[in-house]
Amino acid sequence: RDSNLISCNEDKIINIVANKDAIFNADGNPQLIASTNVLGQAVPYVGEYGISKNPESFVSYAYRSYFTDKARGVVLRLSRDGLTDISGKGMSDYFGDNLQNSTKLIGSYSEDKSEYILTLHKDTSETVAFSESSGEGGGWTSFRSYIPESGLSINDTYYTFKNGLLYSHDNTVRNTFYGGSAVQSSINVLFNEASDTIKSFKTLAYEGSQQKRFRYLGT
């Protein structure tokens, strides 16, 4: 990445200088040499995070990388500004409870939707998607009805594997996955008790001058 080497360890993420014509003396001063086969200074990213034992959750696209830290119950993004805990964007309780119970954490990236898609394989497996375009700094947009074995994007088309077969998510048949029956879509919307106040949400915008009210008249 940017001519350097990113090392994802169980408890730490480290940036290592690589492919440079330099080697360091014991006092830390660089000395030019005629070889690029030397790894230089290793600098850990800020934050006590690693990738635990789930390298299958790692996905890299452009200048961003996504992966999980099962031991700490978080999902992380590595970008130009360093490490960010994206599981804290409204889903910290969910991941804190479910990452520990998962046997596999399969990460994939949909170039078409610009989403990091994470599948948690457990007693009741689930797939959830994170979008950078949802709100400020991104957000978790929805759960998905498919449970893939793996996934990838090729030429802006998202593909997943199921039972060793390759499936295209090209939206020609909606809500139907892996030859099964159609799955109904649903949405859960949360509003607070101040029903007479106009609110703005990061993933849902509502504007209006008069709310709809129901009054129970009794019998």
Short mmCIF file of all heavy atoms in Angstrom, two decimals, residues 33-96:
data_model
loop_
_atom_site.label_atom_id
_atom_site.label_comp_id
_atom_site.label_asym_id
_atom_site.label_seq_id
_atom_site.Cartn_x
_atom_site.Cartn_y
_atom_site.Cartn_z
N ILE A 33 21.67 2.38 0.40
CA ILE A 33 22.33 1.19 -0.11
C ILE A 33 21.80 0.92 -1.51
O ILE A 33 20.90 1.60 -2.00
CB ILE A 33 22.11 -0.03 0.81
CG1 ILE A 33 20.60 -0.33 0.91
CG2 ILE A 33 22.69 0.21 2.18
CD1 ILE A 33 20.31 -1.59 1.69
N ALA A 34 22.32 -0.11 -2.16
CA ALA A 34 21.97 -0.38 -3.55
C ALA A 34 20.95 -1.50 -3.67
O ALA A 34 20.88 -2.15 -4.69
CB ALA A 34 23.22 -0.72 -4.33
N SER A 35 20.13 -1.74 -2.65
CA SER A 35 19.17 -2.83 -2.69
C SER A 35 17.82 -2.35 -2.19
O SER A 35 17.74 -1.49 -1.31
CB SER A 35 19.66 -4.00 -1.83
OG SER A 35 18.67 -5.00 -1.75
N THR A 36 16.75 -2.91 -2.76
CA THR A 36 15.40 -2.61 -2.29
C THR A 36 14.82 -3.79 -1.50
O THR A 36 13.66 -3.77 -1.13
CB THR A 36 14.47 -2.32 -3.48
OG1 THR A 36 14.44 -3.46 -4.34
CG2 THR A 36 14.94 -1.10 -4.24
N ASN A 37 15.62 -4.81 -1.25
CA ASN A 37 15.13 -6.01 -0.57
C ASN A 37 15.30 -5.91 0.94
O ASN A 37 15.75 -6.84 1.59
CB ASN A 37 15.88 -7.25 -1.09
CG ASN A 37 15.64 -7.45 -2.57
OD1 ASN A 37 14.54 -7.24 -3.06
ND2 ASN A 37 16.68 -7.86 -3.28
N VAL A 38 14.99 -4.75 1.48
CA VAL A 38 15.15 -4.52 2.91
C VAL A 38 13.87 -3.92 3.47
O VAL A 38 13.32 -2.98 2.89
CB VAL A 38 16.34 -3.57 3.19
CG1 VAL A 38 16.43 -3.26 4.68
CG2 VAL A 38 17.64 -4.19 2.71
N LEU A 39 13.39 -4.47 4.57
CA LEU A 39 12.26 -3.89 5.29
C LEU A 39 12.78 -2.90 6.32
O LEU A 39 13.69 -3.22 7.09
CB LEU A 39 11.43 -4.98 5.97
CG LEU A 39 10.75 -5.99 5.05
CD1 LEU A 39 9.98 -7.02 5.85
CD2 LEU A 39 9.83 -5.29 4.07
N GLY A 40 12.20 -1.71 6.31
CA GLY A 40 12.68 -0.67 7.19
C GLY A 40 11.89 -0.56 8.48
O GLY A 40 11.45 -1.56 9.05
N GLN A 41 11.67 0.65 8.92
CA GLN A 41 11.04 0.92 10.21
C GLN A 41 9.60 0.44 10.25
O GLN A 41 8.85 0.63 9.29
CB GLN A 41 11.10 2.42 10.51
CG GLN A 41 10.58 2.80 11.89
CD GLN A 41 10.69 4.29 12.13
OE1 GLN A 41 10.87 5.07 11.19
NE2 GLN A 41 10.59 4.70 13.38
N ALA A 42 9.20 -0.20 11.35
CA ALA A 42 7.83 -0.68 11.56
C ALA A 42 7.13 0.26 12.53
O ALA A 42 7.56 0.42 13.66
CB ALA A 42 7.84 -2.10 12.11
N VAL A 43 6.02 0.88 12.06
CA VAL A 43 5.28 1.85 12.88
C VAL A 43 3.86 1.35 13.07
O VAL A 43 3.10 1.23 12.10
CB VAL A 43 5.26 3.23 12.21
CG1 VAL A 43 4.49 4.22 13.07
CG2 VAL A 43 6.68 3.72 11.95
N PRO A 44 3.45 1.03 14.30
CA PRO A 44 2.07 0.56 14.54
C PRO A 44 1.07 1.70 14.39
O PRO A 44 1.36 2.85 14.73
CB PRO A 44 2.12 0.04 15.97
CG PRO A 44 3.24 0.78 16.61
CD PRO A 44 4.26 1.03 15.54
N TYR A 45 -0.10 1.38 13.86
CA TYR A 45 -1.17 2.37 13.79
C TYR A 45 -1.75 2.61 15.19
O TYR A 45 -1.73 1.72 16.04
CB TYR A 45 -2.29 1.90 12.85
CG TYR A 45 -1.94 2.03 11.39
CD1 TYR A 45 -1.41 0.96 10.69
CD2 TYR A 45 -2.14 3.23 10.71
CE1 TYR A 45 -1.08 1.07 9.35
CE2 TYR A 45 -1.82 3.34 9.36
CZ TYR A 45 -1.30 2.27 8.69
OH TYR A 45 -0.98 2.39 7.36
N VAL A 46 -2.25 3.80 15.40
CA VAL A 46 -2.82 4.16 16.70
C VAL A 46 -4.08 3.33 16.94
O VAL A 46 -4.94 3.20 16.07
CB VAL A 46 -3.16 5.66 16.75
CG1 VAL A 46 -3.83 6.02 18.06
CG2 VAL A 46 -1.89 6.49 16.57
N GLY A 47 -4.19 2.76 18.14
CA GLY A 47 -5.34 1.94 18.49
C GLY A 47 -4.94 0.53 18.83
O GLY A 47 -4.12 -0.08 18.14
N GLU A 48 -5.50 0.01 19.88
CA GLU A 48 -5.18 -1.36 20.32
C GLU A 48 -6.07 -2.36 19.60
O GLU A 48 -6.93 -3.01 20.20
CB GLU A 48 -5.34 -1.47 21.85
CG GLU A 48 -4.42 -0.57 22.63
CD GLU A 48 -2.94 -0.90 22.37
OE1 GLU A 48 -2.63 -2.10 22.23
OE2 GLU A 48 -2.13 0.04 22.28
N TYR A 49 -5.89 -2.46 18.29
CA TYR A 49 -6.70 -3.35 17.47
C TYR A 49 -5.81 -4.23 16.61
O TYR A 49 -4.69 -3.86 16.26
CB TYR A 49 -7.64 -2.56 16.57
CG TYR A 49 -8.64 -1.70 17.28
CD1 TYR A 49 -8.59 -0.32 17.17
CD2 TYR A 49 -9.64 -2.27 18.06
CE1 TYR A 49 -9.52 0.48 17.83
CE2 TYR A 49 -10.58 -1.48 18.72
CZ TYR A 49 -10.51 -0.10 18.60
OH TYR A 49 -11.43 0.68 19.25
N GLY A 50 -6.35 -5.40 16.25
CA GLY A 50 -5.69 -6.29 15.31
C GLY A 50 -6.74 -6.96 14.45
O GLY A 50 -7.87 -6.47 14.34
N ILE A 51 -6.38 -8.06 13.82
CA ILE A 51 -7.33 -8.80 12.99
C ILE A 51 -7.73 -10.11 13.65
O ILE A 51 -8.42 -10.94 13.05
CB ILE A 51 -6.72 -9.05 11.59
CG1 ILE A 51 -7.81 -9.35 10.56
CG2 ILE A 51 -5.67 -10.15 11.63
CD1 ILE A 51 -7.32 -9.39 9.13
N SER A 52 -7.30 -10.31 14.92
CA SER A 52 -7.55 -11.55 15.66
C SER A 52 -7.10 -12.75 14.82
O SER A 52 -6.00 -12.75 14.29
CB SER A 52 -9.03 -11.65 16.06
OG SER A 52 -9.34 -10.64 17.01
N LYS A 53 -7.95 -13.74 14.66
CA LYS A 53 -7.60 -14.93 13.87
C LYS A 53 -8.57 -15.10 12.71
O LYS A 53 -8.94 -16.22 12.35
CB LYS A 53 -7.60 -16.17 14.76
CG LYS A 53 -6.54 -16.12 15.86
CD LYS A 53 -6.56 -17.38 16.70
CE LYS A 53 -5.48 -17.32 17.78
NZ LYS A 53 -5.47 -18.54 18.63
N ASN A 54 -8.97 -13.98 12.11
CA ASN A 54 -9.95 -14.01 11.02
C ASN A 54 -9.45 -13.22 9.81
O ASN A 54 -10.03 -12.19 9.44
CB ASN A 54 -11.29 -13.43 11.50
CG ASN A 54 -11.85 -14.18 12.68
OD1 ASN A 54 -11.71 -13.76 13.82
ND2 ASN A 54 -12.47 -15.33 12.41
N PRO A 55 -8.40 -13.70 9.15
CA PRO A 55 -7.92 -13.01 7.94
C PRO A 55 -8.95 -13.04 6.82
O PRO A 55 -8.87 -12.24 5.89
CB PRO A 55 -6.65 -13.78 7.57
CG PRO A 55 -6.85 -15.15 8.16
CD PRO A 55 -7.61 -14.92 9.44
N GLU A 56 -9.94 -13.97 6.89
CA GLU A 56 -10.96 -14.05 5.85
C GLU A 56 -11.89 -12.85 5.84
O GLU A 56 -12.64 -12.63 4.89
CB GLU A 56 -11.78 -15.34 6.00
CG GLU A 56 -12.73 -15.37 7.18
CD GLU A 56 -12.09 -15.79 8.49
OE1 GLU A 56 -10.86 -15.90 8.54
OE2 GLU A 56 -12.83 -16.00 9.47
N SER A 57 -11.84 -12.03 6.91
CA SER A 57 -12.68 -10.84 6.96
C SER A 57 -12.05 -9.66 6.25
O SER A 57 -12.70 -8.63 6.03
CB SER A 57 -12.96 -10.46 8.42
OG SER A 57 -11.77 -10.02 9.06
N PHE A 58 -10.78 -9.77 5.84
CA PHE A 58 -10.04 -8.64 5.27
C PHE A 58 -10.45 -8.40 3.82
O PHE A 58 -10.49 -9.32 3.01
CB PHE A 58 -8.53 -8.90 5.34
CG PHE A 58 -7.71 -7.76 4.83
CD1 PHE A 58 -7.30 -6.74 5.67
CD2 PHE A 58 -7.33 -7.69 3.49
CE1 PHE A 58 -6.53 -5.69 5.20
CE2 PHE A 58 -6.56 -6.64 3.01
CZ PHE A 58 -6.17 -5.64 3.87
N VAL A 59 -10.74 -7.14 3.51
CA VAL A 59 -11.05 -6.70 2.14
C VAL A 59 -10.36 -5.37 1.90
O VAL A 59 -10.37 -4.49 2.77
CB VAL A 59 -12.57 -6.55 1.92
CG1 VAL A 59 -12.85 -5.91 0.57
CG2 VAL A 59 -13.26 -7.90 2.00
N SER A 60 -9.75 -5.22 0.74
CA SER A 60 -9.09 -3.97 0.39
C SER A 60 -9.67 -3.45 -0.91
O SER A 60 -9.79 -4.19 -1.89
CB SER A 60 -7.58 -4.18 0.25
OG SER A 60 -6.95 -2.98 -0.12
N TYR A 61 -10.03 -2.16 -0.92
CA TYR A 61 -10.51 -1.52 -2.15
C TYR A 61 -10.02 -0.08 -2.15
O TYR A 61 -10.26 0.67 -1.19
CB TYR A 61 -12.03 -1.56 -2.25
CG TYR A 61 -12.56 -0.91 -3.51
CD1 TYR A 61 -12.45 -1.54 -4.75
CD2 TYR A 61 -13.14 0.35 -3.47
CE1 TYR A 61 -12.91 -0.95 -5.90
CE2 TYR A 61 -13.61 0.96 -4.62
CZ TYR A 61 -13.49 0.30 -5.83
OH TYR A 61 -13.94 0.90 -6.98
N ALA A 62 -9.36 0.32 -3.22
CA ALA A 62 -8.79 1.66 -3.35
C ALA A 62 -7.86 1.90 -2.17
O ALA A 62 -6.97 1.11 -1.89
CB ALA A 62 -9.90 2.70 -3.45
N TYR A 63 -8.07 2.98 -1.42
CA TYR A 63 -7.19 3.30 -0.29
C TYR A 63 -7.78 2.88 1.05
O TYR A 63 -7.25 3.25 2.10
CB TYR A 63 -6.88 4.80 -0.27
CG TYR A 63 -8.11 5.69 -0.17
CD1 TYR A 63 -8.63 6.06 1.07
CD2 TYR A 63 -8.74 6.14 -1.32
CE1 TYR A 63 -9.76 6.87 1.15
CE2 TYR A 63 -9.86 6.95 -1.25
CZ TYR A 63 -10.36 7.31 0.00
OH TYR A 63 -11.49 8.11 0.08
N ARG A 64 -8.88 2.11 1.03
CA ARG A 64 -9.51 1.66 2.27
C ARG A 64 -9.40 0.14 2.40
O ARG A 64 -9.47 -0.58 1.40
CB ARG A 64 -10.98 2.06 2.33
CG ARG A 64 -11.23 3.56 2.39
CD ARG A 64 -12.71 3.82 2.68
NE ARG A 64 -13.01 5.23 2.74
CZ ARG A 64 -13.60 5.92 1.78
NH1 ARG A 64 -13.97 5.30 0.66
NH2 ARG A 64 -13.84 7.21 1.91
N SER A 65 -9.25 -0.31 3.63
CA SER A 65 -9.29 -1.74 3.96
C SER A 65 -10.26 -1.94 5.11
O SER A 65 -10.40 -1.09 5.98
CB SER A 65 -7.90 -2.25 4.34
OG SER A 65 -6.98 -2.08 3.30
N TYR A 66 -10.94 -3.09 5.09
CA TYR A 66 -11.92 -3.42 6.12
C TYR A 66 -11.60 -4.80 6.69
O TYR A 66 -11.21 -5.71 5.95
CB TYR A 66 -13.34 -3.43 5.55
CG TYR A 66 -13.76 -2.15 4.87
CD1 TYR A 66 -13.49 -1.93 3.51
CD2 TYR A 66 -14.43 -1.16 5.57
CE1 TYR A 66 -13.88 -0.77 2.88
CE2 TYR A 66 -14.83 0.02 4.94
CZ TYR A 66 -14.55 0.20 3.60
OH TYR A 66 -14.93 1.37 2.98
N PHE A 67 -11.79 -4.99 7.97
CA PHE A 67 -11.58 -6.28 8.60
C PHE A 67 -12.19 -6.25 10.01
O PHE A 67 -12.61 -5.19 10.50
CB PHE A 67 -10.08 -6.64 8.67
CG PHE A 67 -9.22 -5.58 9.30
CD1 PHE A 67 -8.95 -5.59 10.66
CD2 PHE A 67 -8.68 -4.57 8.52
CE1 PHE A 67 -8.15 -4.62 11.24
CE2 PHE A 67 -7.88 -3.58 9.09
CZ PHE A 67 -7.62 -3.61 10.45
N THR A 68 -12.22 -7.41 10.65
CA THR A 68 -12.82 -7.52 11.98
C THR A 68 -11.74 -7.82 13.03
O THR A 68 -10.68 -8.36 12.71
CB THR A 68 -13.87 -8.63 12.03
OG1 THR A 68 -13.23 -9.90 11.77
CG2 THR A 68 -14.96 -8.40 11.00
N ASP A 69 -12.04 -7.47 14.26
CA ASP A 69 -11.24 -7.86 15.41
C ASP A 69 -12.18 -8.60 16.35
O ASP A 69 -12.83 -8.01 17.21
CB ASP A 69 -10.62 -6.65 16.09
CG ASP A 69 -9.61 -7.03 17.16
OD1 ASP A 69 -9.61 -8.20 17.59
OD2 ASP A 69 -8.83 -6.16 17.60
N LYS A 70 -12.27 -9.91 16.16
CA LYS A 70 -13.22 -10.72 16.91
C LYS A 70 -12.98 -10.66 18.41
O LYS A 70 -13.92 -10.62 19.20
CB LYS A 70 -13.15 -12.16 16.42
CG LYS A 70 -14.07 -13.13 17.14
CD LYS A 70 -13.94 -14.54 16.56
CE LYS A 70 -14.82 -15.52 17.32
NZ LYS A 70 -14.70 -16.89 16.76
N ALA A 71 -11.72 -10.64 18.81
CA ALA A 71 -11.38 -10.64 20.23
C ALA A 71 -11.91 -9.40 20.94
O ALA A 71 -12.26 -9.45 22.12
CB ALA A 71 -9.87 -10.76 20.41
N ARG A 72 -12.00 -8.29 20.22
CA ARG A 72 -12.47 -7.04 20.82
C ARG A 72 -13.89 -6.68 20.38
O ARG A 72 -14.42 -5.65 20.78
CB ARG A 72 -11.50 -5.91 20.47
CG ARG A 72 -10.12 -6.12 21.10
CD ARG A 72 -9.05 -5.28 20.45
NE ARG A 72 -7.75 -5.54 21.06
CZ ARG A 72 -6.96 -6.57 20.73
NH1 ARG A 72 -7.35 -7.41 19.78
NH2 ARG A 72 -5.81 -6.76 21.33
N GLY A 73 -14.48 -7.50 19.53
CA GLY A 73 -15.87 -7.31 19.13
C GLY A 73 -16.12 -6.09 18.29
O GLY A 73 -17.16 -5.43 18.43
N VAL A 74 -15.17 -5.77 17.36
CA VAL A 74 -15.32 -4.57 16.55
C VAL A 74 -15.03 -4.88 15.09
O VAL A 74 -14.37 -5.87 14.75
CB VAL A 74 -14.38 -3.44 17.02
CG1 VAL A 74 -14.73 -3.00 18.44
CG2 VAL A 74 -12.92 -3.88 16.95
N VAL A 75 -15.54 -4.01 14.20
CA VAL A 75 -15.22 -4.03 12.78
C VAL A 75 -14.45 -2.75 12.48
O VAL A 75 -14.84 -1.66 12.92
CB VAL A 75 -16.49 -4.10 11.91
CG1 VAL A 75 -16.13 -4.19 10.44
CG2 VAL A 75 -17.35 -5.28 12.33
N LEU A 76 -13.35 -2.88 11.74
CA LEU A 76 -12.43 -1.76 11.57
C LEU A 76 -12.27 -1.37 10.11
O LEU A 76 -12.42 -2.21 9.21
CB LEU A 76 -11.06 -2.14 12.14
CG LEU A 76 -11.03 -2.48 13.63
CD1 LEU A 76 -9.74 -3.20 13.98
CD2 LEU A 76 -11.19 -1.24 14.46
N ARG A 77 -11.96 -0.10 9.91
CA ARG A 77 -11.60 0.42 8.59
C ARG A 77 -10.23 1.07 8.69
O ARG A 77 -9.99 1.90 9.58
CB ARG A 77 -12.62 1.46 8.12
CG ARG A 77 -12.24 2.15 6.80
CD ARG A 77 -13.24 3.23 6.44
NE ARG A 77 -13.26 4.28 7.44
CZ ARG A 77 -14.31 5.07 7.66
NH1 ARG A 77 -15.41 4.93 6.97
NH2 ARG A 77 -14.25 6.01 8.60
N LEU A 78 -9.33 0.68 7.79
CA LEU A 78 -8.01 1.29 7.72
C LEU A 78 -7.98 2.19 6.49
O LEU A 78 -8.09 1.72 5.36
CB LEU A 78 -6.93 0.22 7.62
CG LEU A 78 -5.49 0.72 7.46
CD1 LEU A 78 -5.09 1.59 8.65
CD2 LEU A 78 -4.53 -0.45 7.30
N SER A 79 -7.85 3.49 6.73
CA SER A 79 -7.88 4.47 5.64
C SER A 79 -6.71 5.43 5.81
O SER A 79 -5.80 5.19 6.61
CB SER A 79 -9.22 5.21 5.64
OG SER A 79 -9.33 6.04 4.50
N ARG A 80 -6.74 6.52 5.08
CA ARG A 80 -5.65 7.48 5.14
C ARG A 80 -5.55 8.13 6.51
O ARG A 80 -4.47 8.59 6.90
CB ARG A 80 -5.85 8.55 4.07
CG ARG A 80 -5.68 8.02 2.65
CD ARG A 80 -6.04 9.06 1.62
NE ARG A 80 -5.83 8.57 0.25
CZ ARG A 80 -6.20 9.23 -0.83
NH1 ARG A 80 -6.81 10.41 -0.71
NH2 ARG A 80 -5.99 8.72 -2.03
N ASP A 81 -6.65 8.20 7.23
CA ASP A 81 -6.64 8.80 8.56
C ASP A 81 -6.41 7.77 9.67
O ASP A 81 -6.65 8.04 10.84
CB ASP A 81 -7.95 9.56 8.82
CG ASP A 81 -9.18 8.67 8.65
OD1 ASP A 81 -9.01 7.52 8.20
OD2 ASP A 81 -10.29 9.13 8.97
N GLY A 82 -5.97 6.55 9.31
CA GLY A 82 -5.66 5.54 10.30
C GLY A 82 -6.81 4.57 10.52
O GLY A 82 -7.68 4.39 9.65
N LEU A 83 -6.82 3.96 11.69
CA LEU A 83 -7.83 2.96 12.03
C LEU A 83 -9.09 3.62 12.59
O LEU A 83 -9.01 4.53 13.41
CB LEU A 83 -7.28 1.97 13.07
CG LEU A 83 -6.35 0.87 12.57
CD1 LEU A 83 -5.75 0.13 13.75
CD2 LEU A 83 -7.10 -0.09 11.65
N THR A 84 -10.26 3.13 12.14
CA THR A 84 -11.54 3.64 12.62
C THR A 84 -12.43 2.45 12.98
O THR A 84 -12.54 1.50 12.21
CB THR A 84 -12.25 4.50 11.56
OG1 THR A 84 -11.39 5.57 11.19
CG2 THR A 84 -13.56 5.06 12.10
N ASP A 85 -13.06 2.53 14.15
CA ASP A 85 -14.00 1.51 14.58
C ASP A 85 -15.36 1.81 13.95
O ASP A 85 -16.13 2.61 14.46
CB ASP A 85 -14.10 1.50 16.11
CG ASP A 85 -15.17 0.54 16.62
OD1 ASP A 85 -15.67 -0.28 15.84
OD2 ASP A 85 -15.51 0.63 17.82
N ILE A 86 -15.67 1.16 12.81
CA ILE A 86 -16.93 1.44 12.13
C ILE A 86 -18.09 0.65 12.74
O ILE A 86 -19.26 0.95 12.45
CB ILE A 86 -16.83 1.15 10.62
CG1 ILE A 86 -16.46 -0.31 10.35
CG2 ILE A 86 -15.84 2.09 9.96
CD1 ILE A 86 -16.48 -0.69 8.87
N SER A 87 -17.80 -0.34 13.56
CA SER A 87 -18.90 -1.05 14.24
C SER A 87 -19.58 -0.13 15.25
O SER A 87 -20.73 -0.39 15.62
CB SER A 87 -18.37 -2.30 14.95
OG SER A 87 -17.37 -1.97 15.89
N GLY A 88 -18.90 0.93 15.67
CA GLY A 88 -19.49 1.88 16.60
C GLY A 88 -20.51 2.80 15.97
O GLY A 88 -21.14 3.60 16.67
N LYS A 89 -20.71 2.71 14.66
CA LYS A 89 -21.69 3.57 13.99
C LYS A 89 -23.08 2.92 14.07
O LYS A 89 -23.66 2.51 13.07
CB LYS A 89 -21.27 3.81 12.54
CG LYS A 89 -19.95 4.55 12.41
CD LYS A 89 -19.56 4.78 10.96
CE LYS A 89 -18.24 5.52 10.86
NZ LYS A 89 -18.31 6.89 11.43
N GLY A 90 -23.58 2.81 15.30
CA GLY A 90 -24.93 2.31 15.54
C GLY A 90 -25.04 0.81 15.68
O GLY A 90 -26.15 0.29 15.87
N MET A 91 -23.92 0.07 15.59
CA MET A 91 -23.99 -1.39 15.63
C MET A 91 -23.04 -2.00 16.65
O MET A 91 -22.71 -3.19 16.57
CB MET A 91 -23.67 -1.95 14.24
CG MET A 91 -24.68 -1.61 13.17
SD MET A 91 -26.17 -2.60 13.27
CE MET A 91 -25.60 -4.14 12.54
N SER A 92 -22.58 -1.24 17.61
CA SER A 92 -21.58 -1.73 18.56
C SER A 92 -22.12 -2.87 19.40
O SER A 92 -21.42 -3.86 19.65
CB SER A 92 -21.09 -0.59 19.46
OG SER A 92 -22.18 0.01 20.14
N ASP A 93 -23.37 -2.78 19.86
CA ASP A 93 -23.96 -3.86 20.66
C ASP A 93 -24.11 -5.13 19.85
O ASP A 93 -23.84 -6.24 20.33
CB ASP A 93 -25.32 -3.43 21.22
CG ASP A 93 -25.19 -2.43 22.35
OD1 ASP A 93 -24.08 -2.31 22.90
OD2 ASP A 93 -26.18 -1.76 22.66
N TYR A 94 -24.54 -5.00 18.60
CA TYR A 94 -24.74 -6.16 17.74
C TYR A 94 -23.43 -6.91 17.53
O TYR A 94 -23.35 -8.13 17.71
CB TYR A 94 -25.32 -5.73 16.40
CG TYR A 94 -25.35 -6.84 15.37
CD1 TYR A 94 -26.36 -7.80 15.37
CD2 TYR A 94 -24.35 -6.95 14.41
CE1 TYR A 94 -26.38 -8.82 14.44
CE2 TYR A 94 -24.36 -7.96 13.47
CZ TYR A 94 -25.38 -8.90 13.49
OH TYR A 94 -25.38 -9.93 12.58
N PHE A 95 -22.38 -6.19 17.13
CA PHE A 95 -21.12 -6.86 16.86
C PHE A 95 -20.45 -7.34 18.14
O PHE A 95 -19.78 -8.37 18.16
CB PHE A 95 -20.19 -5.93 16.08
CG PHE A 95 -20.58 -5.75 14.65
CD1 PHE A 95 -21.05 -4.53 14.19
CD2 PHE A 95 -20.51 -6.81 13.77
CE1 PHE A 95 -21.41 -4.37 12.87
CE2 PHE A 95 -20.88 -6.66 12.43
CZ PHE A 95 -21.33 -5.43 11.99
N GLY A 96 -20.62 -6.60 19.24
CA GLY A 96 -20.08 -7.05 20.50
C GLY A 96 -20.65 -8.38 20.94
O GLY A 96 -19.96 -9.20 21.55
#
